[in-house]
Amino acid sequence: MRHLLFLALVFVGFSCTKPDSELLVGKWQFSRISSKGVTMVSDNPKEQKVIIDKAVKEMKDKLPLMNMSEATYRQAMKDDISLMLKVTFEFMKDSTLIVSNNIPQKLNESRWTYKINPDRKELTIDEKTRTIVYKYQIIDNRLIISEKKDKIEFIKAKK
């Protein structure tokens, strides 16, 4: 009897899981962008501070040439990260991908196409000038895509 109950629970668990193609549909926002293992953008305030501190350290000698104070540069970096985190990727059911910057003063969006291969865990994005094949994972409300040395994490945008 316990075995039947266990099998029934397993069956219900698998039957309730949506296919990746359905899980992907919707709006996603950047959560973290890293290249060669270095985090470039993060929605985590502690990680943002580390990113900005590192950038300031690297640019400290160049700031006077740029006519910027350290405080101005820090704020500019914080603003840039904030802008990146506002970008949304909307995967439509018809294989259209809409990338929007969501800046009311300069609203801009691009339309691309995508294909998903759930067997190989590959997401192919066709931009106007190039095609990129990413490996992907969907875990709860997170989408993680990676290509060679770059890794991008998204979180499902709140409705």
Side-chain angles (χ1 to χ4, degrees):
M1 183 64 150
R2 275 190 280 160
H3 296 294
L4 287 175
L5 181 60
F6 175 75
L7 287 174
L9 287 173
V10 169
F11 177 75
V12 167
F14 282 116
S15 64
C16 291
T17 303
K18 292 181 181 179
D20 288 355
S21 58
E22 286 183 37
L23 292 172
L24 186 63
V25 171
K27 285 187 179 183
W28 298 84
Q29 292 175 277
F30 286 121
S31 172
R32 180 176 288 107
I33 301 172
S34 57
S35 181
K36 299 178 186 172
V38 176
T39 302
M40 314 293 277
V41 173
S42 174
D43 60 358
N44 179 310
K46 289 180 183 178
E47 289 181 351
Q48 287 179 12
K49 183 178 180 332
V50 170
I51 294 164
I52 293 169
D53 287 348
K54 182 180 178 197
V56 166
K57 185 177 178 182
E58 290 173 0
M59 295 297 292
K60 197 162 191 97
D61 295 339
K62 296 177 180 94
L63 291 178
L65 298 172
M66 297 166 53
N67 202 25
M68 292 181 92
S69 68
E70 183 178 318
T72 305
Y73 186 72
R74 283 182 180 280
Q75 187 60 49
M77 287 287 300
K78 191 172 186 171
D79 292 345
D80 287 348
I81 290 172
S82 177
L83 286 175
M84 286 291 294
L85 295 174
K86 288 181 181 177
V87 173
T88 57
F89 287 65
E90 185 171 6
F91 292 88
M92 311 294 282
K93 288 181 183 178
D94 68 356
S95 297
T96 299
L97 171 59
I98 302 170
V99 181
S100 304
N101 69 356
N102 297 310
I103 303 170
Q105 310 88 296
K106 296 181 180 179
L107 192 59
N108 186 15
E109 71 177 32
S110 299
R111 290 179 177 265
W112 302 330
T113 60
Y114 75 91
K115 292 183 277 266
I116 186 168
N117 182 334
D119 297 331
R120 297 183 69 179
K121 295 292 187 189
E122 290 180 343
L123 174 64
T124 303
I125 297 177
D126 292 313
E127 299 177 11
K128 290 184 188 215
T129 58
R130 64 185 180 150
T131 298
I132 307 171
V133 179
Y134 294 99
K135 290 291 187 183
Y136 78 88
Q137 293 177 292
I138 300 175
I139 305 165
D140 297 326
N141 69 337
R142 298 188 89 67
L143 168 64
I144 302 166
I145 62 174
S146 55
E147 183 249 349
K148 297 180 184 164
K149 59 189 173 277
D150 297 328
K151 182 177 177 182
I152 304 170
E153 296 180 35
F154 298 89
I155 54 171
K156 194 82 162 192
K158 293 182 174 95
K159 294 180 182 184

